[in-house]
Structure formats: structure tokens, C-alpha cells
């Protein structure tokens, strides 16, 4: 496989403004703590909209973990967690965050202790035990919001149950923080959230263009506001700027990867510590024009939250969240994406730290090939721990995979 | 050591001293080849069989349909054919279940019922369902939260829905009378296992830990009535034996079906006198309130029999995959206290996230009580390695030298 000169993709201008957005967010987190305002730790399956409406600052340790991963801090922080008895086989987000909690080490120093914690069961069991470890170490009151795993949709008794769980959680948070839910404010937050989500959907849709205007590294970098800022004015303005920039690129026929020869799909979280891999692959004419992870906040999963009935509507989203459904819905999504984005092949990142995402990938690869005729390859790695990612081997496998695609074309 | 007396659960003492020996031999045989037992039961009864994997799943649900329940035990066999379908970082116990199905060992099953006990088992379900590894396969949307009224009501409603689907798929409608009988029969057998555990803990009955685990495997393999009959005989006429000078410890973990591995652990000079296992002491305390079942819908403290069933299973001592989990530590400590064990041996199955994350907390809780704890990690394979033996011997010597007497 030949490398094609200096063809590293041009970064988005929106990425620069994202940096100040993240800085402001962390400043706000520390300011809230200093001023004694309540805060909450959430997993990504719990909508931040509720908490913005209650004026309880939402913080996502998964986001923090990814940031530490990108800064290559996981091995150091993980070693601290392991010294406390936590297995090196545990999710690298867990090890990373617990390393900070136990030691105060990390990019921002010690994180402020939250007033309360909420985790939902709509991603993995590991989330619950992660929050539990923080609860025990810091003595933080913790709520587990039950969202039983479903096959495809949360309806009937399941939706009723999840809705009752959301209501139970809101009462619990009100009691624990002294704040009350302002339903009128929630409706406004939801309106902003929907507006931003629609802009996000446009960005995802613009990636269908040939050539694709952005790279996987671009879109993964912009996950932060989708997770932590939904429903805020900053979120909408940032996504509008992102959408405008991506749209301008499409209008100009801009190619994020010059000589785009392979349009691939990335399944699962990326290796945060090595987003450069996408740039290196661009030099082989590869662009990951779409991925599954960012779909979790896209129209196919999140839909439009009903501002007039937000609790029920969010319950439906949480109950059938991206990782709370079975293989059938994942296959359906993949089939649609490879069709809509004219994908040549799928790279299944077999992520040691994300069992729910990963442990169906062999089956998905086989069924997708049968159903859509699109080949796939499993790439062993991890979203945060570079010690679990053999880059040289991965690049070798990807080169072989590109040859498979070439031979299919021939 | 008692002999020929009535058991605490009121089972009559029948037979002779030889019947206890025969019962133990039967349990050992069942644990060694549970599928042979299933084959015999199917042939004898002419009934269908549905397998399950998670001890939170009420076997009474299956029995209510006139179908044999069969908990698929982990075999510990070396077999990597599941590697063609699922990655190696799925926990080996889950992969073992998939291996059995892929080998064709489970052809006697007419169906399988899954829950999301853990993230690995959920992955196994995806493969099982996609590959149609049993003619009927279904998924119970099981709650994680166990201590709310809404969780009980939700699980009851979910069990009703699963029951309706099972009735249709297997052409085997549920029958409330059978549900009542199933709950009563399962209560009886669980109470007898509890009695066995209590008598072992009090040194009234010197069954080895390996044999005790064989009884646990048999408990969810044999038909309840037959199991109850055999265990009654064993309790009435326990085979002679003494624990000797082995160090008594509590075995803690999730599922532990590998009798050979248990024997290997005991060969290192440990005596597994009690347990904190999902299929042991965290299971046998389940007692479905059958008075409500008998009285019919709307009576007693539950709206209907399904609620009684749901409540009984949700309120058992929790596994680390459930919330809240803190009662688990209290339960474990109580097992140590009542058995006067010298320590706790944790057997963590590799890649078991919830147990790995729970270990530091349980270790510290035990330390605060002055109870030594030791952790080994493994794949539930074979009979254990020489390295394991050496580590266990070191654990035993460490406790003996420290002179801890609990």
C-alpha cells in the first residue's frame, strides 16, 4: 500500500472554538464547587438536560476519561487505580477516573466532589460499579436508574417502568441537592437541545458528500458538546458554526482526505490516545465517512424529545438507548449507514474496554457481509489504554483490509 | 453427626445409611455429567426442557409451562470454538456456555431464556439468538434495581409477558396450579440446600466443599422432587467423614460449577465450609410466598403469584451486578461468622467486571472485621494449575502463622 505524500487533513476552525468551550466548561465546574452550587456526576446515558433545568452542574466522567486518554495519561492514572486493587482488565475509563479520584492527579488536578451521582444501566454494568467505587471512596450519595436491556424498543411496561425510574431519580436529586425541577425551564432546555441535535444530524448527513468534508477525528473531537452541553445556548451556537463550516466545505467540494479512495465506517469508540491514526490512514486515501458512536446522539436514536412531555420522551430515549438494545437494531443501523454513506468497508474496533459495544461485532461483521455485501475487519484495541493497542499490527491489518476492498472492486 | 433423623424442613427420614451414600454418589454423577441427567429426565417425563443461565431467573416460570428447567452449568472444558463468534475478553464462563451450544451439547434443550446478568452474557445472547442455537430463545428484560416496589411490579409484569411468549412458542400454556406446585417444590429443595449448608457450617455434617458444589449443580439440574428426595436421604444418612485439619474458608464468587477445581482447592489444605456464590447461599434463601399463590389473585401481600415470584428473587442477597450491592458484604460476613471460617477465598472469573470492581471493597470490609481474604483469578477451567496450588498453600500458611482464630 502506498503512502501519498503530505495529505494530512486540514483541521476544522470549529475545533479551535471547541477548545475554549471545553475550558469554559471546566472553569464552570470548579466555580460551581467553589461557590457551593450542587453538581452531579452522570454517565452518558443520563440526559444532562434535566440537570441544566435544575441548575445542578452536570459532569460526565466518561468525557473526562476520554480527555485523559487523549492526553495519554491513562497508563499513569490506571496504575494508581490498580494499586488500590482495581483490575487492569477493568474498563480503561474506570481505571483512568479512579486514578484521579484516588490521587488528585490529572490534567485539572483533583476534580471537585459532586453533590450526588446518577448512573443509568443503559450502557453497561461497568458504569454502575464505577460509580459505586466513587461513592465508597468519597461518600457521595449515588442513584442507579434502572433501564432494563431491551431487544429493540422501550414500549409498554418497559417504558412505564423507565419513566417511573426517571421520576424517582428526579425526586431523589431534588432531595439531595435542594434544587427543584422547573418544568418550564426544562421545556426551554429541551427546545435548545432539539435545535442542537438537528444541527448535529445535519453535520452527520453532510458527511454523505463525495468527497467527505470532514474526518472521523473531527467528528469524535466534537462529541464533547453533544454529551455535556446539550440544552445550553453555547451548544447551539457551536453546533451552528460547525454545521456552517462543514456545509461550506461541501459546497466548495472540499475533500477532508484528498484522493478519497476508501470510504470506511468506524464502529465503536475511537482510540482517544491515537486519533492521529485517522490522519495517517488519510495518507492511504482512507476516510471514515461515518461511524456508529456519534449516531447515539443522532436522529436515529435520540430523535426529537417532546418538550411537552419531556420525562416520558427522555424515558423512551434512555430505555432504548444506543447500547441498551440488541444486535438487531445495531445491524439495522449499520445496514442503513453503509448504504446511505456509500461505504466500502467497516472497521470494527474491538474495544477491550467496551463489552456491550464490542461483543456483538463478530456476528455483526458476518451478518453485514451477508446482508449488504460490505466487508468488515476487527481491529483489536482499546478506547483509552495504549498498552492494549498494537498500532503496528493494527496498521498491518488495515492495509490487508484495503487490499480486500481492492480485490472486491477488481 | 446425626443419622436417620428428620431434616429441619420436615422431610421424613427414610431408607438406610446406604441411601445417604447412594444420594451422594448420585449428586456426584449428576455434577460430572448434568446433560446425561437432563436426557434421562426428558426420557422419563416426556417433557420439553428450557435452559437458563442466570440464577436470578425463576425456574418456576419454566415449570409453570410443564417444561423442565435446566440451568446450564459451566463445564470448564477447554474449547475455543466460541472464538469464531465472540472475542476472548468475554468472560470465560459465558464463553463456556456458548461453547456447549456450538458443540451441539445442548441439543436436548427446546429453548433458552436469557437475562442481561452481565455484559458478557448479553454478548452470548446476541450470538445465541442470531445463530438460533436453540429452537426457542427469549430474553427477560430483568431489572438491576432490586429494592423498589416498582421493580417488583415491573418484573412480575415482564415474567407474565415472557410466559405468554413461551406458551405460544412452545405450545405449552402456563398453568397457575403448576406455578403453585413449582414454587412449593422449589421452596422445598432450596430449604433443604440451606439446611445442608447450615449443618456443614456447624460441623454437624462433614461433606467436602467439592461434594457440596456437586449438590448445588444437581439442585438446578435434577427435577426438584427427585433432588429433594435424594437430598433428604443425604441429610438423614450423611456419609461418614471428617473435615480433618484443613483450614475452613468461605468461597466467594459468582457461579462456580467446577467440582474438580473445588477439589483441587481443597487439596491445598483448605476446606470450603461455606459459600457466597450466586448459585449457592445467595440463591438457596429464595422463598416464594406460596400462601399468596394458593389463595389466588389479589390476596395477601402480593397482587398476584407473579409478584410473589418477582419479590422472592429480587430480595435475595445480591450479586455485584445488582443494586444495591452492599447487602452482599453483610451476607458474606455472616457466612464467615456462622461457619467460623478462618478466611475468605475469592475466585474471580477473568474479565468479570463487576466482581473485579467489587473485590477491593469486599476485601476492605472483611479486613475491618479482622477476616483474612485472598483472591485468585481464573477461567473456571480444568482442575487448576500447580501455580494455583502453591498460592493457596501460601494463603493457608499465612493464616495459620498469623494464628487468626475467628
Amino acid at each position: 500500500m502506498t503512502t501519498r505524500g503530505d495529505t494530512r487533513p486540514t483541521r476544522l476552525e470549529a475545533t479551535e472554538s471547541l477548545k475554549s468551550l471545553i475550558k469554559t466548561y471546566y472553569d464552570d465546574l470548579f466555580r460551581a464547587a467553589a461557590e457551593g452550587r450542587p453538581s452531579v456526576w452522570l454517565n452518558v446515558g443520563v440526559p444532562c438536560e434535566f440537570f441544566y433545568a435544575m441548575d445542578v452542574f452536570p459532569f460526565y466522567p466518561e468525557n473526562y476519561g476520554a480527555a485523559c486518554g487523549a492526553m495519554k495519561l491513562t497508563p499513569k492514572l490506571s496504575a494508581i487505580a490498580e494499586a488500590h486493587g482495581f483490575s487492569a482488565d477493568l474498563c480503561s475509563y474506570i481505571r483512568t477516573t479512579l486514578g484521579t479520584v484516588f490521587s488528585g492527579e490529572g490534567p485539572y488536578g483533583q476534580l471537585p466532589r459532586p453533590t450526588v451521582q446518577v448512573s443509568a444501566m443503559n450502557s453497561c454494568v461497568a458504569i454502575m460499579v464505577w460509580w459505586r467505587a466513587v461513592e465508597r471512596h468519597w461518600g457521595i450519595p449515588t442513584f442507579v436508574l434502572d433501564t432494563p436491556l431491551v431487544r429493540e424498543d422501550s414500549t409498554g411496561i418497559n417504558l412505564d417502568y423507565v419513566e417511573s425510574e426517571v421520576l424517582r431519580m428526579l425526586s431523589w436529586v431534588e432531595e439531595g441537592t435542594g434544587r427543584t425541577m422547573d418544568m418550564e425551564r426544562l421545556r426551554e432546555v429541551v427546545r435548545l437541545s432539539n435545535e442542537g441535535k438537528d444541527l448535529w444530524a445535519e453535520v452527520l448527513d453532510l458527511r454523505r458528500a463525495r468527497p467527505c468534508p470532514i474526518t472521523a477525528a473531527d467528528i469524535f473531537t466534537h462529541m464533547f458538546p453533544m454529551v455535556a452541553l446539550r440544552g445550553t445556548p453555547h451548544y447551539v451556537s457551536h453546533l451552528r458554526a460547525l454545521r456552517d463550516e462543514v456545509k461550506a466545505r461541501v459546497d466548495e467540494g472540499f475533500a477532508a482526505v484528498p484522493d478519497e479512495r476508501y470510504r470506511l465506517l468506524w464502529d465503536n469508540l475511537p482510540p482517544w490516545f491515537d486519533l492521529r491514526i485517522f490522519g495517517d490512514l488519510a495518507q492511504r486515501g482512507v476516510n471514515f465517512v461515518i461511524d456508529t458512536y456519534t449516531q447515539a446522539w443522532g436522529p436515529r436514536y435520540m430523535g426529537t424529545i417532546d418538550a411537552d412531555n419531556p420525562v416520558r420522551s427522555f424515558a423512551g430515549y434512555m430505555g432504548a438507548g444506543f447500547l441498551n438494545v440488541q444486535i438487531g437494531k445495531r445491524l439495522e443501523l449499520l445496514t442503513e449507514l453503509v448504504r446511505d454513506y456509500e461505504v466500502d468497508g467497516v472497521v470494527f474496533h474491538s474495544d477491550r474496554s467496551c463489552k456491550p459495544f464490542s461483543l456483538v461485532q463478530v456476528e455483526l461483521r458476518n451478518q453485514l457481509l451477508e446482508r449488504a455485501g460490505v466487508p468488515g475487519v476487527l481491529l483489536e484495541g482499546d478506547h483509552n489504554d495504549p498498552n492494549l493497542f498494537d498500532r503496528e499490527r493494527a496498521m498491518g491489518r488495515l492495509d490487508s483490509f484495503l487490499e480486500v476492498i481492492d480485490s472486491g472492486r477488481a | 453427626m446425626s443419622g436417620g433423623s428428620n431434616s429441619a424442613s420436615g422431610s421424613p427420614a427414610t431408607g438406610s445409611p446406604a441411601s445417604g451414600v447412594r444420594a451422594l454418589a448420585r449428586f456426584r454423577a449428576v455434577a460430572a455429567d448434568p446433560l446425561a441427567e437432563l436426557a434421562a429426565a426428558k426420557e422419563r417425563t416426556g417433557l420439553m426442557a428450557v435452559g437458563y443461565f442466570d440464577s436470578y431467573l425463576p425456574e418456576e416460570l419454566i415449570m409453570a409451562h410443564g417444561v423442565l428447567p435446566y440451568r446450564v452449568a459451566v463445564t470448564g472444558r477447554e474449547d475455543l470454538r466460541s472464538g469464531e463468534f465472540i472475542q476472548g475478553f468475554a468472560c470465560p464462563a459465558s464463553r463456556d456456555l456458548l461453547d456447549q451450544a456450538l458443540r451441539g451439547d445442548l441439543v436436548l434443550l427446546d429453548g433458552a431464556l436469557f437475562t442481561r446478568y452481565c455484559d458478557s452474557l448479553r454478548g452470548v445472547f446476541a450470538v445465541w439468538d442470531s445463530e438460533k442455537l436453540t429452537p426457542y430463545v427469549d430474553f427477560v428484560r430483568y431489572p438491576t434495581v432490586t429494592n423498589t416496589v416498582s421493580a417488583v411490579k415491573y418484573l412480575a409484569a415482564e415474567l407474565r409477558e415472557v410466559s405468554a411468549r413461551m406458551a405460544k412458542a412452545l405450545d405449552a400454556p402456563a398453568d397457575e396450579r403448576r406455578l403453585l406446585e413449582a414454587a412449593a417444590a422449589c421452596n422445598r429443595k432450596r430449604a433443604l440446600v440451606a439446611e445442608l449448608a447450615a449443618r456443614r457450617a456447624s460441623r454437624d455434617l462433614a461433606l467436602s466443599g467439592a461434594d457440596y458444589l456437586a449438590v448445588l449443580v444437581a439442585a438446578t439440574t435434577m427435577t426438584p422432587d427427585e433432588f429433594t428426595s435424594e437430598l433428604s436421604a443425604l441429610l438423614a444418612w450423611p456419609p461418614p467423614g471428617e473435615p480433618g485439619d484443613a483450614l475452613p474458608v468461605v468461597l466467594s464468587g459468582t457461579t462456580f460449577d467446577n467440582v474438580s477445581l473445588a477439589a483441587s482447592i481443597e487439596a491445598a489444605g483448605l476446606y470450603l465450609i461455606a459459600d457466597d456464590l450466586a448459585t449457592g447461599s445467595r440463591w438457596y434463601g429464595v422463598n416464594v410466598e406460596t400462601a399468596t399463590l394458593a389463595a389466588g389473585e389479589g390476596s395477601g401481600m402480593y397482587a398476584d403469584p407473579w409478584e410473589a415470584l418477582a419479590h422472592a428473587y429480587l430480595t435475595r442477597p445480591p450479586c455485584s451486578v445488582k443494586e444495591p450491592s452492599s447487602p452482599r458484604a453483610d451476607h458474606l460476613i455472616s457466612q464467615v461468622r456462622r461457619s467460623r471460617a478462618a478466611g475468605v477465598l475469592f475466585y474471580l472469573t477473568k474479565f468479570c467486571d463487576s466482581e473485579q470492581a467489587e473485590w477491593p471493597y469486599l476485601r476492605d470490609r472483611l479486613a475491618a472485621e479482622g477476616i483474612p481474604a485472598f483472591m485468585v483469578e481464573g477461567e473456571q477451567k480444568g482442575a487448576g494449575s500447580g501455580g494455583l496450588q502453591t498460592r493457596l498453600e501460601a494463603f493457608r500458611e499465612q493464616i495459620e502463622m498469623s494464628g487468626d482464630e475467628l
Side-chain angles (χ1 to χ4, degrees), chain B residues 35-198:
Chain B
L35 286 164
E37 180 65 23
L38 175 64
K42 282 193 78 169
E43 187 172 339
R44 192 173 62 248
T45 62
L47 298 175
M48 290 184 284
V50 166
Y52 66 100
F53 314 90
D54 170 6
S55 60
Y56 272 91
L57 191 129
E59 57 188 317
E60 292 93 334
L61 162 68
I62 299 168
M63 294 168 70
H65 292 260
V67 174
L68 296 171
Y70 178 81
R71 184 178 70 81
V72 183
V74 178
T75 65
R77 274 179 59 177
E78 296 286 349
D79 187 338
L80 298 176
R81 74 188 66 192
S82 60
E84 293 176 27
F85 295 89
I86 198 164
Q87 292 97 319
F89 54 89
C91 98
S94 294
R95 281 187 280 129
D96 183 288
L97 304 173
L98 189 55
D99 283 329
Q100 291 181 57
L102 292 169
R103 276 200 302 268
D105 292 355
L106 303 178
V107 289
L108 289 172
L109 293 182
D110 300 281
L113 277 181
F114 280 83
T115 62
R116 193 252 315 253
Y117 180 79
C118 63
D119 294 329
S120 289
L121 190 59
R122 137 185 208 178
V124 167
F125 167 71
V127 177
W128 200 293
D129 194 31
S130 298
E131 301 294 326
K132 300 281 179 285
L133 294 178
T134 43
Y136 160 68
V137 56
D138 205 346
F139 187 84
V140 182
R141 300 172 299 182
Y142 213 96
T144 295
V145 172
T146 59
N147 63 344
T148 64
V149 172
S150 56
V152 171
K153 290 187 178 300
Y154 164 73
L155 178 58
E158 174 68 2
L159 293 175
R160 275 186 228 110
E161 289 197 359
V162 173
S163 174
R165 290 198 298 272
M166 194 190 304
K168 194 174 174 186
L170 297 178
D171 192 21
D175 180 301
E176 198 154 294
R177 178 186 53 81
R178 273 200 300 258
L179 180 58
L180 170 63
E181 290 170 355
C186 290
N187 281 346
R188 278 195 298 275
K189 78 168 179 179
R190 288 186 292 252
L192 276 188
V193 178
E195 182 183 337
L196 171 66

Side-chain angles (χ1 to χ4, degrees), chain A residues 326-351:
Chain A
Q326 307 278 7
I327 188 171
K329 201 161 177 182
R330 293 270 301 275
L331 181 62
E332 188 183 312
L333 171 68
L334 280 170
T335 306
E336 287 176 13
L337 293 179
V338 298
R339 181 196 64 212
D340 295 349
Y341 289 77
E342 298 176 335
V343 164
D344 300 312
V346 177
V347 173
F348 293 93
H349 177 211
S350 177
D351 181 352

Side-chain angles (χ1 to χ4, degrees), chain A residues 54 115-116 168-180:
Chain A
M54 297 172 84
T115 316
V116 293
R168 193 168 70 90
M169 179 272 288
L170 292 175
S171 297
W172 184 88
V173 172
E174 286 182 335
E175 193 174 321
T177 63
R179 297 291 163 97
T180 53

Side-chain angles (χ1 to χ4, degrees), chain A residues 84 89 121 124-125 128 132 136 146 149 151 158 323 325 350 352 355 358 360-363 367, chain B residues 84 87 89 116 119 122 129-131 141 143-145 154 320-322 325 350 353 358 361 363:
Chain A
H84 279 73
D89 285 332
M121 291 303 300
C124 59
V125 170
M128 178 175 63
R132 203 178 271 165
R136 287 166 177 162
D146 208 357
L149 185 67
R151 270 187 188 264
N158 182 270
L323 288 181
V325 294
S350 177
R352 265 278 291 270
K355 288 189 174 79
S358 303
V360 296
Q361 287 176 316
V362 180
E363 196 66 43
Q367 291 193 34
Chain B
E84 293 176 27
Q87 292 97 319
F89 54 89
R116 193 252 315 253
D119 294 329
R122 137 185 208 178
D129 194 31
S130 298
E131 301 294 326
R141 300 172 299 182
T144 295
V145 172
Y154 164 73
S320 50
V321 293
K322 298 296 180 187
S325 70
K350 195 163 175 59
D353 298 326
E358 201 72 356
Y361 169 71
R363 174 199 63 193

